[in-house]
Amino acid sequence: MPQEPQTGADSETGRTLSRRALLTCLALGAAALTACQPPPQAPLKLGLNPWVGYDPMVLARDRGLMDATQVKVVELASSSETQRHLRNGLLDGAALTLDETLRLADEGVDLRIVLLLSTSAGADVVMARPDIRSPAGLRGRSIAVERTTVGALMLQRLLQVGGLQPHEVQVRNLEASQHLAALRNGLVDAAVTYEPLAGTLQAEGLRPVFDSRQMPGDIVDVLVVRAETLSRRQPQVEAAVLGWRRGLSALESDPQASAELLAVGVDLTPADYLTTLKGLKFYTDQEGQALMSGRPRALGRQSESLAITLGLMGLIRTPPDWARLLDEGWADRLQALESAQP
Protein backbone atom coordinates (compact mmCIF):
# COMPACT_ATOMS: atom_id res chain seq x y z
CA MET A 1 0.00 0.00 0.00
CA PRO A 2 1.47 3.40 -0.90
CA GLN A 3 2.22 5.64 2.08
CA GLU A 4 0.35 8.84 2.53
CA PRO A 5 2.42 11.93 1.97
CA GLN A 6 3.69 13.66 5.14
CA THR A 7 2.10 16.87 6.19
CA GLY A 8 4.26 19.99 6.42
CA ALA A 9 4.50 19.67 10.18
CA ASP A 10 5.54 16.04 10.00
CA SER A 11 8.15 16.81 7.36
CA GLU A 12 9.61 19.61 9.50
CA THR A 13 9.75 17.30 12.54
CA GLY A 14 11.67 14.75 10.51
CA ARG A 15 14.17 17.37 9.38
CA THR A 16 14.55 18.60 12.97
CA LEU A 17 15.18 15.08 14.22
CA SER A 18 17.70 14.50 11.48
CA ARG A 19 19.58 17.66 12.40
CA ARG A 20 19.51 16.69 16.07
CA ALA A 21 20.73 13.21 15.27
CA LEU A 22 23.55 14.62 13.18
CA LEU A 23 24.61 17.06 15.91
CA THR A 24 24.47 14.28 18.47
CA CYS A 25 26.69 12.08 16.33
CA LEU A 26 29.14 14.91 15.80
CA ALA A 27 29.24 15.63 19.54
CA LEU A 28 29.80 11.98 20.37
CA GLY A 29 32.51 11.75 17.75
CA ALA A 30 34.27 14.82 19.14
CA ALA A 31 34.04 13.42 22.67
CA ALA A 32 35.46 10.10 21.52
CA LEU A 33 38.29 11.88 19.73
CA THR A 34 39.03 13.96 22.82
CA ALA A 35 39.04 10.85 24.99
CA CYS A 36 41.67 9.31 22.72
CA GLN A 37 44.01 12.30 23.14
CA PRO A 38 46.60 12.09 25.95
CA PRO A 39 46.05 14.59 28.77
CA PRO A 40 48.28 17.68 28.67
CA GLN A 41 51.62 17.11 30.37
CA ALA A 42 52.02 18.75 33.76
CA PRO A 43 54.70 21.45 34.04
CA LEU A 44 58.19 20.45 35.11
CA LYS A 45 58.47 21.06 38.87
CA LEU A 46 61.77 22.68 39.83
CA GLY A 47 62.54 23.31 43.50
CA LEU A 48 64.85 25.89 45.00
CA ASN A 49 65.50 27.50 48.36
CA PRO A 50 65.99 31.25 48.96
CA TRP A 51 69.43 32.17 47.61
CA VAL A 52 70.64 35.01 45.39
CA GLY A 53 72.46 32.54 43.14
CA TYR A 54 69.15 30.91 42.17
CA ASP A 55 67.17 34.11 41.70
CA PRO A 56 67.34 34.45 37.91
CA MET A 57 64.92 31.51 37.83
CA VAL A 58 62.58 33.33 40.22
CA LEU A 59 62.87 36.53 38.19
CA ALA A 60 62.04 34.65 34.99
CA ARG A 61 58.90 33.25 36.62
CA ASP A 62 57.75 36.51 38.18
CA ARG A 63 58.29 38.57 35.02
CA GLY A 64 56.70 36.05 32.69
CA LEU A 65 60.00 35.24 30.98
CA MET A 66 59.46 31.50 31.41
CA ASP A 67 56.73 29.34 29.87
CA ALA A 68 54.52 28.60 32.89
CA THR A 69 52.80 25.77 31.02
CA GLN A 70 56.16 24.01 30.75
CA VAL A 71 57.94 24.88 34.01
CA LYS A 72 56.75 25.48 37.56
CA VAL A 73 59.27 27.01 39.99
CA VAL A 74 58.62 25.80 43.54
CA GLU A 75 60.18 27.86 46.33
CA LEU A 76 61.00 25.87 49.48
CA ALA A 77 62.18 27.01 52.90
CA SER A 78 65.63 25.41 52.89
CA SER A 79 68.10 23.38 50.88
CA SER A 80 67.39 20.40 53.13
CA GLU A 81 63.70 20.59 52.20
CA THR A 82 64.55 20.85 48.50
CA GLN A 83 66.71 17.74 48.72
CA ARG A 84 64.05 15.85 50.66
CA HIS A 85 61.40 16.68 48.04
CA LEU A 86 63.77 15.57 45.29
CA ARG A 87 64.55 12.28 47.04
CA ASN A 88 60.85 11.57 47.53
CA GLY A 89 59.91 12.22 43.91
CA LEU A 90 57.95 15.41 44.61
CA LEU A 91 60.20 17.40 42.27
CA ASP A 92 61.46 16.77 38.75
CA GLY A 93 64.57 18.87 39.34
CA ALA A 94 66.15 21.45 41.59
CA ALA A 95 68.76 24.15 42.00
CA LEU A 96 71.45 22.79 44.34
CA THR A 97 75.08 23.28 45.23
CA LEU A 98 77.47 20.86 43.55
CA ASP A 99 78.38 19.18 46.84
CA GLU A 100 74.68 18.55 47.55
CA THR A 101 74.32 17.05 44.08
CA LEU A 102 77.28 14.71 44.62
CA ARG A 103 75.87 13.57 47.95
CA LEU A 104 72.44 12.82 46.46
CA ALA A 105 74.02 10.95 43.55
CA ASP A 106 76.10 8.96 46.03
CA GLU A 107 72.88 8.02 47.83
CA GLY A 108 71.53 6.58 44.58
CA VAL A 109 69.34 9.43 43.30
CA ASP A 110 69.84 9.28 39.53
CA LEU A 111 70.45 12.92 38.57
CA ARG A 112 71.78 14.82 35.59
CA ILE A 113 73.38 18.25 35.78
CA VAL A 114 71.74 20.25 32.99
CA LEU A 115 73.09 23.73 33.69
CA LEU A 116 75.82 25.46 35.67
CA LEU A 117 74.33 28.50 37.38
CA SER A 118 76.85 30.40 39.50
CA THR A 119 79.90 30.08 41.69
CA SER A 120 80.90 31.80 44.90
CA ALA A 121 83.59 34.38 44.19
CA GLY A 122 84.06 35.94 47.61
CA ALA A 123 80.48 35.68 48.89
CA ASP A 124 81.61 33.04 51.42
CA VAL A 125 84.24 34.37 53.79
CA VAL A 126 86.02 33.81 57.12
CA MET A 127 85.98 36.93 59.31
CA ALA A 128 88.38 37.22 62.26
CA ARG A 129 89.38 39.64 65.02
CA PRO A 130 91.73 42.44 63.90
CA ASP A 131 94.80 40.87 65.54
CA ILE A 132 94.40 37.74 63.40
CA ARG A 133 95.88 38.52 60.01
CA SER A 134 95.96 35.14 58.25
CA PRO A 135 94.53 31.61 58.51
CA ALA A 136 97.68 30.53 60.36
CA GLY A 137 96.89 33.11 63.04
CA LEU A 138 93.87 31.03 64.06
CA ARG A 139 96.03 28.38 65.73
CA GLY A 140 94.70 27.93 69.26
CA ARG A 141 91.66 30.12 68.55
CA SER A 142 87.93 29.36 68.34
CA ILE A 143 85.87 29.49 65.14
CA ALA A 144 82.08 29.65 64.72
CA VAL A 145 80.86 27.38 61.92
CA GLU A 146 77.31 26.66 60.78
CA ARG A 147 76.37 22.97 60.42
CA THR A 148 76.23 22.91 56.62
CA THR A 149 78.34 21.20 53.99
CA VAL A 150 79.55 24.56 52.71
CA GLY A 151 80.52 25.59 56.25
CA ALA A 152 82.46 22.34 56.69
CA LEU A 153 84.18 22.81 53.31
CA MET A 154 85.17 26.38 54.12
CA LEU A 155 86.64 25.25 57.44
CA GLN A 156 88.52 22.39 55.76
CA ARG A 157 90.05 24.70 53.15
CA LEU A 158 90.86 27.33 55.79
CA LEU A 159 92.83 24.79 57.82
CA GLN A 160 94.65 23.55 54.72
CA VAL A 161 95.69 27.07 53.67
CA GLY A 162 96.77 27.89 57.23
CA GLY A 163 98.73 24.66 57.65
CA LEU A 164 96.56 23.80 60.65
CA GLN A 165 95.38 20.47 62.04
CA PRO A 166 91.74 20.16 63.18
CA HIS A 167 92.81 19.76 66.82
CA GLU A 168 94.64 23.11 66.68
CA VAL A 169 91.41 25.11 66.55
CA GLN A 170 88.23 25.02 68.58
CA VAL A 171 85.11 24.72 66.47
CA ARG A 172 81.78 25.98 67.79
CA ASN A 173 78.75 24.96 65.77
CA LEU A 174 76.51 28.02 65.68
CA GLU A 175 73.84 29.27 63.30
CA ALA A 176 75.08 32.13 61.15
CA SER A 177 72.61 34.48 62.84
CA GLN A 178 74.42 33.83 66.17
CA HIS A 179 77.93 34.63 64.95
CA LEU A 180 77.85 38.36 65.65
CA ALA A 181 76.71 37.90 69.26
CA ALA A 182 79.32 35.18 69.84
CA LEU A 183 82.07 37.46 68.53
CA ARG A 184 80.89 40.42 70.59
CA ASN A 185 80.80 38.26 73.75
CA GLY A 186 84.23 36.80 73.15
CA LEU A 187 82.95 33.25 72.71
CA VAL A 188 84.75 32.92 69.37
CA ASP A 189 87.60 34.65 67.57
CA ALA A 190 86.46 34.09 63.99
CA ALA A 191 83.44 32.95 61.99
CA VAL A 192 82.84 31.12 58.72
CA THR A 193 80.13 33.30 57.20
CA TYR A 194 78.81 34.77 53.95
CA GLU A 195 77.49 37.99 52.50
CA PRO A 196 75.72 40.13 53.54
CA LEU A 197 76.47 38.93 57.12
CA ALA A 198 80.17 39.30 56.39
CA GLY A 199 79.64 42.99 55.71
CA THR A 200 77.96 43.39 59.09
CA LEU A 201 80.91 41.72 60.81
CA GLN A 202 83.35 43.92 58.93
CA ALA A 203 81.46 46.99 60.14
CA GLU A 204 82.07 45.67 63.68
CA GLY A 205 85.81 45.79 63.09
CA LEU A 206 86.48 42.21 61.99
CA ARG A 207 88.60 41.50 58.93
CA PRO A 208 88.50 38.84 56.20
CA VAL A 209 91.31 36.26 56.34
CA PHE A 210 89.99 33.76 53.78
CA ASP A 211 87.23 33.64 51.16
CA SER A 212 85.80 31.44 48.44
CA ARG A 213 88.01 32.91 45.73
CA GLN A 214 90.76 30.73 47.20
CA MET A 215 88.74 27.54 46.64
CA PRO A 216 87.59 27.68 42.98
CA GLY A 217 85.26 24.91 41.92
CA ASP A 218 84.14 24.04 45.44
CA ILE A 219 81.04 26.21 45.88
CA VAL A 220 79.12 25.90 42.62
CA ASP A 221 75.36 26.17 42.02
CA VAL A 222 73.86 23.81 39.45
CA LEU A 223 70.47 22.91 37.99
CA VAL A 224 69.75 19.18 38.12
CA VAL A 225 66.90 17.00 36.89
CA ARG A 226 66.13 13.34 37.29
CA ALA A 227 67.66 11.15 34.58
CA GLU A 228 64.20 9.95 33.58
CA THR A 229 63.02 13.56 33.30
CA LEU A 230 65.81 14.49 30.91
CA SER A 231 65.12 11.40 28.84
CA ARG A 232 61.34 11.77 28.55
CA ARG A 233 60.68 15.48 28.97
CA GLN A 234 63.57 17.19 27.25
CA PRO A 235 61.46 20.04 25.75
CA GLN A 236 60.44 21.07 29.26
CA VAL A 237 64.04 20.94 30.46
CA GLU A 238 64.94 23.15 27.50
CA ALA A 239 62.18 25.57 28.53
CA ALA A 240 63.72 25.77 32.02
CA VAL A 241 67.16 26.53 30.55
CA LEU A 242 65.77 29.26 28.31
CA GLY A 243 63.86 30.70 31.26
CA TRP A 244 67.05 30.83 33.34
CA ARG A 245 68.92 32.60 30.54
CA ARG A 246 66.19 35.21 30.15
CA GLY A 247 66.02 35.75 33.91
CA LEU A 248 69.79 36.14 34.15
CA SER A 249 69.77 38.61 31.26
CA ALA A 250 67.10 40.67 33.03
CA LEU A 251 69.05 40.60 36.32
CA GLU A 252 72.31 41.68 34.71
CA SER A 253 70.71 44.41 32.58
CA ASP A 254 69.07 46.12 35.59
CA PRO A 255 70.49 44.87 38.92
CA GLN A 256 68.91 47.67 40.97
CA ALA A 257 65.35 47.03 39.80
CA SER A 258 65.87 43.29 40.16
CA ALA A 259 67.22 43.71 43.69
CA GLU A 260 64.18 45.73 44.72
CA LEU A 261 61.94 42.94 43.44
CA LEU A 262 63.89 39.94 44.73
CA ALA A 263 65.51 41.11 47.99
CA VAL A 264 62.47 40.44 50.16
CA GLY A 265 62.39 36.81 49.02
CA VAL A 266 65.82 36.16 50.52
CA ASP A 267 65.23 38.39 53.56
CA LEU A 268 67.68 41.11 52.50
CA THR A 269 67.52 44.83 51.85
CA PRO A 270 68.11 45.83 48.21
CA ALA A 271 71.53 47.22 49.24
CA ASP A 272 72.52 43.95 50.94
CA TYR A 273 71.21 42.03 47.94
CA LEU A 274 73.53 43.95 45.61
CA THR A 275 76.45 43.37 47.98
CA THR A 276 75.82 39.63 47.92
CA LEU A 277 75.44 39.71 44.15
CA LYS A 278 78.97 41.13 43.84
CA GLY A 279 80.35 38.02 45.55
CA LEU A 280 78.85 35.71 42.93
CA LYS A 281 79.89 34.90 39.40
CA PHE A 282 77.19 33.66 37.04
CA TYR A 283 78.42 31.30 34.35
CA THR A 284 78.13 32.37 30.74
CA ASP A 285 76.70 29.85 28.29
CA GLN A 286 80.16 29.22 26.88
CA GLU A 287 81.76 28.70 30.31
CA GLY A 288 79.05 26.30 31.39
CA GLN A 289 79.21 24.28 28.18
CA ALA A 290 83.00 24.02 28.37
CA LEU A 291 82.87 22.67 31.93
CA MET A 292 80.15 20.16 31.08
CA SER A 293 82.02 18.77 28.07
CA GLY A 294 85.24 16.90 27.38
CA ARG A 295 86.57 13.44 28.18
CA PRO A 296 87.00 13.39 31.10
CA ARG A 297 84.50 16.13 31.87
CA ALA A 298 86.13 19.46 32.65
CA LEU A 299 83.90 20.02 35.69
CA GLY A 300 85.12 16.71 37.12
CA ARG A 301 88.74 17.82 36.78
CA GLN A 302 87.98 21.21 38.32
CA SER A 303 86.06 19.63 41.22
CA GLU A 304 88.47 16.80 41.96
CA SER A 305 89.59 18.33 45.25
CA LEU A 306 85.94 18.84 46.26
CA ALA A 307 85.17 15.17 45.66
CA ILE A 308 88.26 14.09 47.60
CA THR A 309 87.35 16.35 50.51
CA LEU A 310 83.77 15.06 50.60
CA GLY A 311 85.15 11.53 50.69
CA LEU A 312 87.57 12.31 53.51
CA MET A 313 84.73 13.91 55.45
CA GLY A 314 82.64 10.76 55.01
CA LEU A 315 79.97 12.61 53.01
CA ILE A 316 80.31 10.44 49.89
CA ARG A 317 81.44 6.81 49.62
CA THR A 318 82.60 6.55 46.01
CA PRO A 319 84.12 9.00 43.49
CA PRO A 320 81.51 10.79 41.36
CA ASP A 321 80.62 9.31 37.96
CA TRP A 322 81.02 12.53 36.00
CA ALA A 323 80.23 10.94 32.63
CA ARG A 324 76.87 9.91 34.07
CA LEU A 325 76.14 13.19 35.87
CA LEU A 326 77.03 15.21 32.78
CA ASP A 327 75.25 13.58 29.84
CA GLU A 328 77.28 14.17 26.68
CA GLY A 329 74.21 14.24 24.43
CA TRP A 330 72.65 16.92 26.61
CA ALA A 331 75.85 18.98 26.53
CA ASP A 332 75.64 18.98 22.73
CA ARG A 333 71.96 19.94 22.86
CA LEU A 334 72.74 22.75 25.31
CA GLN A 335 75.14 24.26 22.81
CA ALA A 336 72.46 24.13 20.11
CA LEU A 337 70.06 25.95 22.45
CA GLU A 338 72.38 28.93 22.60
CA SER A 339 70.94 30.20 19.32
CA ALA A 340 67.50 30.32 20.96
CA GLN A 341 68.66 32.90 23.50
CA PRO A 342 66.68 36.13 22.91
Side-chain angles (χ1 to χ4, degrees):
M1 177 183 294
Q3 295 180 348
E4 294 183 2
Q6 291 181 324
T7 65
D10 289 340
S11 178
E12 182 64 29
T13 300
R15 286 196 298 271
T16 301
L17 289 173
S18 296
R19 284 198 298 270
R20 287 176 181 171
L22 177 61
L23 290 172
T24 299
C25 288
L26 289 173
L28 289 172
L33 183 62
T34 301
C36 293
Q37 298 295 320
Q41 195 166 42
L44 196 74
K45 288 187 289 185
L46 295 180
L48 51 83
N49 60 280
W51 170 233
V52 176
Y54 303 152
D55 270 357
M57 195 72 81
V58 177
L59 190 63
R61 180 198 63 190
D62 292 351
R63 288 195 172 174
L65 303 174
M66 180 183 293
D67 187 346
T69 67
Q70 296 294 309
V71 184
K72 180 179 181 180
V73 177
V74 182
E75 292 184 84
L76 298 164
S78 67
S79 175
S80 297
E81 188 175 1
T82 301
Q83 293 175 71
R84 184 167 60 254
H85 277 59
L86 194 56
R87 282 191 196 96
N88 295 337
L90 301 177
L91 295 171
D92 301 303
L96 300 170
T97 56
L98 183 57
D99 58 274
E100 291 166 346
T101 301
L102 297 184
R103 293 180 69 182
L104 285 172
D106 191 67
E107 292 173 15
V109 184
D110 198 6
L111 299 175
R112 298 291 181 269
I113 298 172
V114 295
L115 198 63
L116 269 64
L117 307 181
S118 62
T119 184
S120 181
D124 296 271
V125 60
V126 179
M127 303 296 295
R129 297 191 183 283
D131 61 307
I132 301 171
R133 298 183 174 275
S134 69
L138 288 164
R139 183 175 279 105
R141 301 294 190 100
S142 57
I143 308 172
V145 184
E146 196 167 25
R147 285 184 182 273
T148 64
T149 304
V150 170
L153 277 172
M154 286 285 292
L155 177 62
Q156 181 82 359
R157 295 288 185 259
L158 173 73
L159 298 179
Q160 290 173 348
V161 170
L164 302 172
Q165 297 299 316
H167 68 269
E168 293 182 295
V169 296
Q170 299 173 30
V171 176
R172 293 185 179 271
N173 293 119
L174 297 171
E175 296 289 327
S177 59
Q178 299 174 303
H179 290 182
L180 178 57
L183 285 159
R184 282 175 172 170
N185 296 332
L187 296 177
V188 296
D189 302 296
V192 177
T193 186
Y194 46 85
E195 294 291 1
L197 298 176
T200 302
L201 297 181
Q202 191 160 12
E204 290 278 323
L206 284 89
R207 58 186 299 160
V209 294
F210 180 82
D211 68 47
S212 51
R213 288 173 294 185
Q214 296 169 261
M215 44 190 291
D218 279 354
I219 306 177
V220 174
D221 295 319
V222 297
L223 182 67
V224 304
V225 297
R226 294 179 173 279
E228 183 181 31
T229 299
L230 182 59
S231 173
R232 297 185 178 182
R233 302 169 67 179
Q234 183 168 306
Q236 291 181 312
V237 178
E238 293 174 0
V241 170
L242 293 176
W244 166 268
R245 289 176 173 173
R246 292 167 184 150
L248 179 58
S249 178
L251 176 64
E252 292 180 332
S253 64
D254 194 346
Q256 182 64 48
S258 299
E260 291 172 0
L261 175 66
L262 296 166
V264 65
V266 288
D267 199 25
L268 297 175
T269 66
D272 285 342
Y273 189 98
L274 292 172
T275 298
T276 304
L277 200 59
K278 290 176 183 177
L280 292 175
K281 180 188 182 304
F282 290 100
Y283 288 104
T284 65
D285 293 339
Q286 293 77 17
E287 289 170 337
Q289 290 156 15
L291 284 168
M292 293 173 67
S293 305
R295 296 185 180 180
R297 304 290 189 266
L299 181 62
R301 295 196 303 271
Q302 176 183 288
S303 305
E304 184 177 0
S305 63
L306 169 64
I308 291 172
T309 300
L310 292 175
L312 292 173
M313 295 168 66
L315 298 177
I316 61 174
R317 297 162 296 177
T318 58
D321 185 347
W322 292 104
R324 187 178 181 86
L325 281 165
L326 296 163
D327 182 86
E328 190 168 21
W330 171 252
D332 293 340
R333 179 58 186 149
L334 197 61
Q335 186 172 3
L337 279 175
E338 186 178 347
S339 61
Q341 174 73 15

